[in-house]
Amino acid sequence: MSDVRLLQALEGVVERELDRHLAVFKEWMPHEYVPWSRGRDFDGVLADGEPWAVEQSPLTEVGRVSMVVNLLTEDNLPSYHHEIATLFGRDGAWGTWVHRWTAEEARHSMVMRDYLLASRAVDPVKLEQARMTHMSAGFESDNRHSPLHTVAYVAFQELATRISHRNTGHSSGDPVCDRLLARVALDENLHMIFYRNLLQAALDLAPDQAMRAVADVVTGFRMPGHGMPGFERAAAEIALGGVYNLRVHHDDVLQPVLRHLKILHLSGLGPEGLKAQEELGGFLGSLDTQAARFDERRAAILARRATARR
């Protein structure tokens, strides 16, 4: 099916999923999750402001790193909106969903930044400089060539974002941060369900095309924040901290979506679909092996660090 025909064929599914989403979505107010009482003036143009120091942060080291990565990722929302609005359009059910999704996602960067500043959790100057650099570069999706590939990507990416937020909260060392990110993660889970159900409909409509899209997306998956300054170093710290790494990606992101859609057991495929399904199975086996090796290296590194601290 052509992109136009596929989008038209999925319009009814989008409308149904949008109605379901709005029925289960629970309104929440970002300002209610921010500990404003912790806030005080920073140094700068305000008299008697206090400079930031790392000792003021309530977060663990991995919590600080992960919160910055997660926030900078959320900050690029204008670019994400442009990408999906260009692919899905601004009219009908597709357009209504695009704008609703954007409005919900905007809350995440708002509440996370307010928390970080009120809590003095990170260096505000470096945070703003990183935001300017990251947003100035923009974002160009690996899947901008195909609406179907984009649907497949966001089905996994929304779950990856949910897991990243949730694990960041657990590792943060601050119950307020944990509660805040748990609320953000609820939104991300609803977004994942929306796109996962849309991907299911695409598999029913065009199984070979959809299987190829899933295989391409899974084997080439990158988080949307991959282009931010210092991402590789931050990702290494986040991986060692257990927030997001190969094992988490394989077990908690890829496998749940693939199992739900029964991707590896889907029948009725043509030659192209079967080829893509086989490629996907082989990749998952290889990824599981890589994750096991990473688990061993991580355990050894953490053991050495524990010994050094003693």
Side-chain angles (χ1 to χ4, degrees), residues 19-240:
D19 289 342
R20 181 199 54 77
H21 175 83
L22 295 176
V24 299
F25 183 87
K26 289 181 171 52
E27 194 72 73
W28 62 284
M29 296 295 123
H31 69 274
E32 295 178 357
Y33 287 81
V34 178
W36 301 106
S37 59
R38 295 182 183 178
R40 54 194 188 275
D41 294 345
F42 287 100
D43 60 329
V45 298
L46 298 179
D48 301 322
E50 182 181 355
W52 181 82
V54 68
E55 294 79 13
Q56 300 165 1
S57 176
L59 300 180
T60 61
E61 183 177 355
V62 70
R64 289 196 303 276
V65 172
S66 190
M67 275 291 285
V68 170
V69 169
N70 288 359
L71 174 56
L72 293 179
T73 300
E74 299 282 1
D75 275 333
N76 244 352
L77 181 61
S79 284
Y80 308 149
H81 175 86
H82 172 77
E83 292 285 317
I84 64 171
T86 300
L87 280 170
F88 298 153
R90 294 177 172 83
D91 301 319
W94 280 105
T96 302
W97 166 252
V98 166
H99 293 302
R100 173 72 190 197
W101 173 87
T102 301
E104 291 180 9
E105 287 286 347
R107 282 178 167 150
H108 303 167
S109 58
M110 290 164 51
V111 72
M112 290 169 67
R113 175 169 284 98
D114 286 347
Y115 163 81
L116 290 176
L117 296 179
S119 297
R120 288 182 168 254
V122 300
D123 186 333
V125 174
K126 290 183 178 179
L127 180 65
E128 177 60 10
Q129 290 171 340
R131 185 192 70 83
M132 286 295 296
T133 300
H134 187 45
M135 289 190 69
S136 295
F139 171 78
E140 185 172 305
S141 170
D142 294 334
N143 303 288
R144 66 185 331 195
H145 63 288
S146 163
L148 186 51
H149 280 67
T150 299
V151 168
Y153 175 76
V154 289
F156 294 100
Q157 182 267 319
E158 292 284 3
L159 181 53
T161 304
R162 175 211 165 197
I163 294 297
S164 180
H165 284 317
R166 202 69 192 93
N167 288 347
T168 298
H170 290 328
S171 304
S172 68
D174 182 9
V176 175
C177 179
D178 192 18
R179 182 170 63 243
L180 180 157
L181 290 178
R183 188 60 197 76
V184 170
L186 285 175
D187 283 3
E188 303 291 7
N189 197 58
L190 289 179
H191 298 164
M192 179 276 293
I193 292 171
F194 180 96
Y195 287 118
R196 187 190 65 190
N197 291 352
L198 199 56
L199 181 56
Q200 177 67 75
L203 284 162
D204 294 339
L205 283 168
D208 280 19
Q209 285 177 259
M211 183 64 74
R212 171 45 62 193
V214 170
D216 290 346
V217 162
V218 169
T219 58
F221 186 88
R222 297 193 295 175
M223 290 293 275
H226 63 81
M228 71 178 59
F231 179 77
E232 289 77 12
R233 177 176 294 181
E237 292 187 43
I238 290 168
L240 281 175

Side-chain angles (χ1 to χ4, degrees), residues 156 159-160 162-163 167 242-257 259:
F156 294 100
L159 181 53
R162 175 211 165 197
I163 294 297
N167 288 347
V243 172
Y244 202 97
N245 52 42
L246 286 177
R247 175 55 61 202
V248 173
H249 183 63
H250 178 275
D251 291 0
D252 300 335
V253 176
L254 297 183
Q255 289 293 353
V257 175
R259 281 198 302 267

